[in-house]
PDB file of all heavy atoms in Angstrom:
ATOM      1  N   GLY A  27     -13.386 -33.761   1.290  1.00 86.00           N
ATOM      2  CA  GLY A  27     -12.949 -32.920   2.407  1.00 86.00           C
ATOM      3  C   GLY A  27     -12.225 -33.716   3.473  1.00 86.00           C
ATOM      4  O   GLY A  27     -12.737 -33.922   4.559  1.00 86.00           O
ATOM      5  N   LYS A  28     -11.047 -34.170   3.153  1.00 91.00           N
ATOM      6  CA  LYS A  28     -10.257 -34.959   4.107  1.00 91.00           C
ATOM      7  C   LYS A  28      -9.368 -34.041   4.943  1.00 91.00           C
ATOM      8  O   LYS A  28      -8.961 -32.973   4.498  1.00 91.00           O
ATOM      9  CB  LYS A  28      -9.382 -35.977   3.376  1.00 91.00           C
ATOM     10  CG  LYS A  28     -10.134 -36.873   2.420  1.00 91.00           C
ATOM     11  CD  LYS A  28     -11.135 -37.727   3.133  1.00 91.00           C
ATOM     12  CE  LYS A  28     -11.856 -38.623   2.136  1.00 91.00           C
ATOM     13  NZ  LYS A  28     -13.101 -39.111   2.608  1.00 91.00           N
ATOM     14  N   LYS A  29      -9.032 -34.485   6.141  1.00 92.00           N
ATOM     15  CA  LYS A  29      -8.169 -33.716   7.032  1.00 92.00           C
ATOM     16  C   LYS A  29      -6.812 -33.475   6.361  1.00 92.00           C
ATOM     17  O   LYS A  29      -6.194 -34.409   5.845  1.00 92.00           O
ATOM     18  CB  LYS A  29      -7.983 -34.461   8.351  1.00 92.00           C
ATOM     19  CG  LYS A  29      -7.151 -33.703   9.351  1.00 92.00           C
ATOM     20  CD  LYS A  29      -7.071 -34.447  10.662  1.00 92.00           C
ATOM     21  CE  LYS A  29      -6.231 -33.649  11.641  1.00 92.00           C
ATOM     22  NZ  LYS A  29      -6.110 -34.330  12.917  1.00 92.00           N
ATOM     23  N   ASN A  30      -6.367 -32.227   6.364  1.00 93.00           N
ATOM     24  CA  ASN A  30      -5.071 -31.816   5.793  1.00 93.00           C
ATOM     25  C   ASN A  30      -4.945 -32.091   4.297  1.00 93.00           C
ATOM     26  O   ASN A  30      -3.835 -32.124   3.761  1.00 93.00           O
ATOM     27  CB  ASN A  30      -3.900 -32.465   6.543  1.00 93.00           C
ATOM     28  CG  ASN A  30      -3.831 -32.024   7.983  1.00 93.00           C
ATOM     29  OD1 ASN A  30      -4.076 -30.861   8.291  1.00 93.00           O
ATOM     30  ND2 ASN A  30      -3.509 -32.942   8.871  1.00 93.00           N
ATOM     31  N   GLN A  31      -6.065 -32.277   3.607  1.00 95.00           N
ATOM     32  CA  GLN A  31      -6.053 -32.633   2.193  1.00 95.00           C
ATOM     33  C   GLN A  31      -5.243 -31.658   1.344  1.00 95.00           C
ATOM     34  O   GLN A  31      -4.404 -32.070   0.546  1.00 95.00           O
ATOM     35  CB  GLN A  31      -7.489 -32.703   1.673  1.00 95.00           C
ATOM     36  CG  GLN A  31      -7.611 -32.999   0.201  1.00 95.00           C
ATOM     37  CD  GLN A  31      -9.055 -33.172  -0.223  1.00 95.00           C
ATOM     38  OE1 GLN A  31      -9.885 -33.642   0.547  1.00 95.00           O
ATOM     39  NE2 GLN A  31      -9.366 -32.785  -1.436  1.00 95.00           N
ATOM     40  N   ILE A  32      -5.472 -30.371   1.498  1.00 95.00           N
ATOM     41  CA  ILE A  32      -4.755 -29.373   0.703  1.00 95.00           C
ATOM     42  C   ILE A  32      -3.271 -29.442   1.008  1.00 95.00           C
ATOM     43  O   ILE A  32      -2.432 -29.486   0.100  1.00 95.00           O
ATOM     44  CB  ILE A  32      -5.292 -27.957   0.993  1.00 95.00           C
ATOM     45  CG1 ILE A  32      -6.736 -27.836   0.512  1.00 95.00           C
ATOM     46  CG2 ILE A  32      -4.401 -26.892   0.342  1.00 95.00           C
ATOM     47  CD1 ILE A  32      -7.453 -26.589   1.020  1.00 95.00           C
ATOM     48  N   ARG A  33      -2.928 -29.470   2.268  1.00 95.00           N
ATOM     49  CA  ARG A  33      -1.527 -29.483   2.686  1.00 95.00           C
ATOM     50  C   ARG A  33      -0.793 -30.717   2.149  1.00 95.00           C
ATOM     51  O   ARG A  33       0.337 -30.622   1.654  1.00 95.00           O
ATOM     52  CB  ARG A  33      -1.444 -29.418   4.206  1.00 95.00           C
ATOM     53  CG  ARG A  33      -2.018 -28.106   4.743  1.00 95.00           C
ATOM     54  CD  ARG A  33      -2.263 -28.151   6.223  1.00 95.00           C
ATOM     55  NE  ARG A  33      -1.005 -28.162   6.959  1.00 95.00           N
ATOM     56  CZ  ARG A  33      -0.923 -28.389   8.256  1.00 95.00           C
ATOM     57  NH1 ARG A  33      -2.010 -28.626   8.972  1.00 95.00           N
ATOM     58  NH2 ARG A  33       0.246 -28.381   8.853  1.00 95.00           N
ATOM     59  N   VAL A  34      -1.432 -31.869   2.216  1.00 95.00           N
ATOM     60  CA  VAL A  34      -0.824 -33.114   1.750  1.00 95.00           C
ATOM     61  C   VAL A  34      -0.680 -33.108   0.226  1.00 95.00           C
ATOM     62  O   VAL A  34       0.399 -33.395  -0.306  1.00 95.00           O
ATOM     63  CB  VAL A  34      -1.647 -34.340   2.212  1.00 95.00           C
ATOM     64  CG1 VAL A  34      -1.167 -35.609   1.527  1.00 95.00           C
ATOM     65  CG2 VAL A  34      -1.572 -34.490   3.719  1.00 95.00           C
ATOM     66  N   HIS A  35      -1.736 -32.769  -0.495  1.00 95.00           N
ATOM     67  CA  HIS A  35      -1.686 -32.811  -1.958  1.00 95.00           C
ATOM     68  C   HIS A  35      -0.640 -31.865  -2.527  1.00 95.00           C
ATOM     69  O   HIS A  35       0.126 -32.246  -3.414  1.00 95.00           O
ATOM     70  CB  HIS A  35      -3.053 -32.497  -2.557  1.00 95.00           C
ATOM     71  CG  HIS A  35      -3.986 -33.664  -2.532  1.00 95.00           C
ATOM     72  ND1 HIS A  35      -5.257 -33.606  -3.028  1.00 95.00           N
ATOM     73  CD2 HIS A  35      -3.821 -34.931  -2.085  1.00 95.00           C
ATOM     74  CE1 HIS A  35      -5.844 -34.783  -2.879  1.00 95.00           C
ATOM     75  NE2 HIS A  35      -4.991 -35.601  -2.300  1.00 95.00           N
ATOM     76  N   PHE A  36      -0.587 -30.632  -2.032  1.00 95.00           N
ATOM     77  CA  PHE A  36       0.388 -29.688  -2.573  1.00 95.00           C
ATOM     78  C   PHE A  36       1.811 -30.065  -2.174  1.00 95.00           C
ATOM     79  O   PHE A  36       2.743 -29.911  -2.962  1.00 95.00           O
ATOM     80  CB  PHE A  36       0.027 -28.255  -2.188  1.00 95.00           C
ATOM     81  CG  PHE A  36      -1.049 -27.691  -3.072  1.00 95.00           C
ATOM     82  CD1 PHE A  36      -2.380 -27.932  -2.809  1.00 95.00           C
ATOM     83  CD2 PHE A  36      -0.725 -26.960  -4.199  1.00 95.00           C
ATOM     84  CE1 PHE A  36      -3.374 -27.456  -3.641  1.00 95.00           C
ATOM     85  CE2 PHE A  36      -1.708 -26.473  -5.039  1.00 95.00           C
ATOM     86  CZ  PHE A  36      -3.036 -26.722  -4.762  1.00 95.00           C
ATOM     87  N   SER A  37       2.007 -30.583  -0.982  1.00 95.00           N
ATOM     88  CA  SER A  37       3.329 -31.038  -0.557  1.00 95.00           C
ATOM     89  C   SER A  37       3.810 -32.209  -1.411  1.00 95.00           C
ATOM     90  O   SER A  37       4.964 -32.258  -1.836  1.00 95.00           O
ATOM     91  CB  SER A  37       3.295 -31.449   0.915  1.00 95.00           C
ATOM     92  OG  SER A  37       4.552 -31.906   1.326  1.00 95.00           O
ATOM     93  N   GLU A  38       2.909 -33.157  -1.700  1.00 94.00           N
ATOM     94  CA  GLU A  38       3.260 -34.314  -2.531  1.00 94.00           C
ATOM     95  C   GLU A  38       3.703 -33.905  -3.932  1.00 94.00           C
ATOM     96  O   GLU A  38       4.497 -34.589  -4.556  1.00 94.00           O
ATOM     97  CB  GLU A  38       2.072 -35.275  -2.632  1.00 94.00           C
ATOM     98  CG  GLU A  38       1.820 -36.084  -1.389  1.00 94.00           C
ATOM     99  CD  GLU A  38       0.586 -36.964  -1.501  1.00 94.00           C
ATOM    100  OE1 GLU A  38      -0.237 -36.771  -2.423  1.00 94.00           O
ATOM    101  OE2 GLU A  38       0.428 -37.853  -0.642  1.00 94.00           O
ATOM    102  N   LYS A  39       3.179 -32.792  -4.429  1.00 93.00           N
ATOM    103  CA  LYS A  39       3.533 -32.309  -5.768  1.00 93.00           C
ATOM    104  C   LYS A  39       4.745 -31.377  -5.749  1.00 93.00           C
ATOM    105  O   LYS A  39       5.124 -30.823  -6.777  1.00 93.00           O
ATOM    106  CB  LYS A  39       2.342 -31.576  -6.408  1.00 93.00           C
ATOM    107  CG  LYS A  39       1.159 -32.470  -6.666  1.00 93.00           C
ATOM    108  CD  LYS A  39       1.492 -33.547  -7.678  1.00 93.00           C
ATOM    109  CE  LYS A  39       0.297 -34.398  -7.993  1.00 93.00           C
ATOM    110  NZ  LYS A  39       0.621 -35.496  -8.886  1.00 93.00           N
ATOM    111  N   GLY A  40       5.342 -31.196  -4.570  1.00 93.00           N
ATOM    112  CA  GLY A  40       6.531 -30.353  -4.464  1.00 93.00           C
ATOM    113  C   GLY A  40       6.242 -28.877  -4.289  1.00 93.00           C
ATOM    114  O   GLY A  40       7.122 -28.039  -4.479  1.00 93.00           O
ATOM    115  N   HIS A  41       5.001 -28.542  -3.924  1.00 93.00           N
ATOM    116  CA  HIS A  41       4.602 -27.150  -3.731  1.00 93.00           C
ATOM    117  C   HIS A  41       3.859 -27.003  -2.403  1.00 93.00           C
ATOM    118  O   HIS A  41       2.659 -26.726  -2.369  1.00 93.00           O
ATOM    119  CB  HIS A  41       3.699 -26.694  -4.884  1.00 93.00           C
ATOM    120  CG  HIS A  41       4.352 -26.806  -6.212  1.00 93.00           C
ATOM    121  ND1 HIS A  41       5.322 -25.932  -6.638  1.00 93.00           N
ATOM    122  CD2 HIS A  41       4.199 -27.722  -7.197  1.00 93.00           C
ATOM    123  CE1 HIS A  41       5.726 -26.289  -7.845  1.00 93.00           C
ATOM    124  NE2 HIS A  41       5.066 -27.377  -8.199  1.00 93.00           N
ATOM    125  N   PRO A  42       4.581 -27.160  -1.281  1.00 94.00           N
ATOM    126  CA  PRO A  42       3.908 -27.085   0.019  1.00 94.00           C
ATOM    127  C   PRO A  42       3.374 -25.686   0.316  1.00 94.00           C
ATOM    128  O   PRO A  42       3.838 -24.696  -0.244  1.00 94.00           O
ATOM    129  CB  PRO A  42       5.011 -27.467   1.006  1.00 94.00           C
ATOM    130  CG  PRO A  42       6.272 -27.110   0.308  1.00 94.00           C
ATOM    131  CD  PRO A  42       6.020 -27.358  -1.149  1.00 94.00           C
TER     132      PRO A  42
END
Side-chain angles (χ1 to χ4, degrees):
K28 307 297 181 201
K29 183 177 180 181
N30 297 321
Q31 177 175 328
I32 294 167
R33 296 166 70 190
V34 170
H35 280 181
F36 280 84
S37 179
E38 285 177 346
K39 295 296 183 184
H41 301 285

